Amino acid sequence: MKIIKVKDYQEMSIAGAKIIKEEILKKPNLTICFATGSTPIGMYQALTKMYQHKELDFSKVTSFNLDEYVGLGQSNPCSYHYFMYKNLFNHININKNNVHLPNGIGDIAKNASDYEKLIASKGGIDFMILGLGTNGHIAFNEPGSKIDESTREIKLTQSTIDANKIYFDNENDIPKTAISMGVGSIMKAKKIILLANGIKKADAIHNMIEGPVTSNCPASFLQKHHDVTVIIDTEAASKLKNS
């Protein structure tokens, strides 16, 4: 696990964008899995600027996403489908036919199985972007998740629901479950970067990097992956002892 420590959110965002740029330049038809939430927004803004300055071409990239709320349609402003178009896809030249997100509407078990088959049909994930929950979750793999699980419907913990309140006008509108790639799905990615910033993530970063490998902190399973880069700001790194 490679650790990159930076000063602040802006430096974290730029560092992540530069790594993605290198990967796309090496392989223009990269298959990349995107994350949502507040953490990667700055990185997506940096990627947009790279595209606008003709430093990057996304036309051959295939994209997947980690997760989606169950019960929210694509046009819902709180859906991750809406998020990705608002924050990245509408601003770059990615082929919309190559954009894939989990479907949180209808038969979720079938949707999850179909999503795994679609990823496999594209040759798997070359490059994956992860954020980190305060409780150590990656994607929506909450504490208790196992290392071999695939895409499935997951019941969200109260801490995750509370963290997502800022995105909803009414607390009662927050979905209680999500369809999410599993830890097993994530571990199949060839290369992973994880971004985290702020003091609220410090405990989770410590547990992920220096704690035991345990389902109590699903992110700790990344210790077993062969190519993970963690980009963290000073506050997120503040409880690390050896890294």
Side-chain angles (χ1 to χ4, degrees), residues 138-165:
I138 46 176
F140 272 127
N141 293 284
E142 301 281 27
S145 297
K146 299 178 177 62
I147 195 170
D148 59 350
E149 289 176 310
S150 59
T151 301
R152 67 205 188 284
E153 184 173 2
I154 299 174
K155 182 179 180 180
L156 305 181
T157 63
Q158 190 59 48
S159 65
T160 297
I161 292 171
D162 290 342
N164 291 337
K165 285 180 182 178

Side-chain angles (χ1 to χ4, degrees), residues 155-211:
K155 182 179 180 180
L156 305 181
T157 63
Q158 190 59 48
S159 65
T160 297
I161 292 171
D162 290 342
N164 291 337
K165 285 180 182 178
I166 59 173
Y167 303 110
F168 291 83
D169 293 332
N170 189 325
E171 185 175 340
N172 294 328
D173 293 336
I174 305 174
K176 303 302 187 290
T177 65
I179 179 172
S180 173
M181 291 176 68
V183 176
S185 312
I186 291 169
M187 295 293 283
K188 291 178 183 177
K190 297 179 182 71
K191 182 181 181 69
I192 296 172
I193 63 168
L194 182 145
L195 283 70
N197 68 288
I199 195 66
K200 291 182 178 179
K201 301 293 177 73
D203 285 327
I205 284 292
H206 166 69
N207 293 336
M208 178 184 78
I209 296 172
E210 296 181 341

Side-chain angles (χ1 to χ4, degrees), residues 10-239:
Q10 183 178 10
E11 286 192 6
M12 178 197 73
S13 301
I14 293 172
K18 286 181 177 177
I19 293 174
I20 295 171
K21 176 183 176 180
E22 291 171 3
E23 295 298 316
I24 294 176
L25 290 177
K26 283 191 292 186
K27 185 179 182 181
N29 62 336
L30 193 74
T31 299
I32 185 168
C33 184
F34 289 106
T36 52
S38 58
T39 302
I41 289 177
M43 182 175 67
Y44 296 158
Q45 291 171 342
L47 288 172
T48 297
K49 288 181 181 178
M50 290 175 180
Y51 165 70
Q52 291 171 341
H53 294 155
K54 299 187 177 359
E55 298 172 27
L56 268 181
D57 176 13
F58 292 88
S59 63
K60 297 179 181 179
V61 168
T62 295
S63 79
F64 287 90
N65 258 70
L66 290 166
D67 41 32
E68 178 61 278
Y69 288 116
V70 168
L72 297 191
Q74 296 180 357
S75 61
N76 189 307
C78 294
S79 74
Y80 287 153
H81 185 281
Y82 191 97
F83 173 99
M84 288 306 306
Y85 276 87
K86 175 183 176 182
N87 290 289
L88 184 62
F89 296 155
N90 283 338
H91 311 292
I92 59 176
N93 67 330
I94 193 166
N95 183 337
K96 303 306 187 286
N97 293 326
N98 293 336
V99 171
H100 310 287
L101 289 95
N103 182 4
I105 301 292
D107 186 338
I108 305 303
K110 182 180 185 301
N111 294 350
S113 175
D114 289 347
Y115 199 60
E116 287 284 344
K117 291 173 184 175
L118 182 60
I119 292 171
S121 74
K122 302 296 183 182
I125 304 295
D126 294 316
F127 187 90
M128 177 168 286
I129 302 161
L130 295 175
L132 179 67
T134 55
N135 63 0
H137 74 230
I138 46 176
F140 272 127
N141 293 284
E142 301 281 27
S145 297
K146 299 178 177 62
I147 195 170
D148 59 350
E149 289 176 310
S150 59
T151 301
R152 67 205 188 284
E153 184 173 2
I154 299 174
K155 182 179 180 180
L156 305 181
T157 63
Q158 190 59 48
S159 65
T160 297
I161 292 171
D162 290 342
N164 291 337
K165 285 180 182 178
I166 59 173
Y167 303 110
F168 291 83
D169 293 332
N170 189 325
E171 185 175 340
N172 294 328
D173 293 336
I174 305 174
K176 303 302 187 290
T177 65
I179 179 172
S180 173
M181 291 176 68
V183 176
S185 312
I186 291 169
M187 295 293 283
K188 291 178 183 177
K190 297 179 182 71
K191 182 181 181 69
I192 296 172
I193 63 168
L194 182 145
L195 283 70
N197 68 288
I199 195 66
K200 291 182 178 179
K201 301 293 177 73
D203 285 327
I205 284 292
H206 166 69
N207 293 336
M208 178 184 78
I209 296 172
E210 296 181 341
V213 176
T214 169
S215 63
N216 292 330
C217 176
S220 67
F221 289 127
L222 295 175
Q223 293 180 32
K224 294 182 173 292
H225 194 277
H226 65 282
D227 191 350
V228 176
T229 299
V230 179
I231 309 173
I232 45 178
D233 73 350
T234 302
E235 289 186 344
S238 61
K239 296 192 177 180

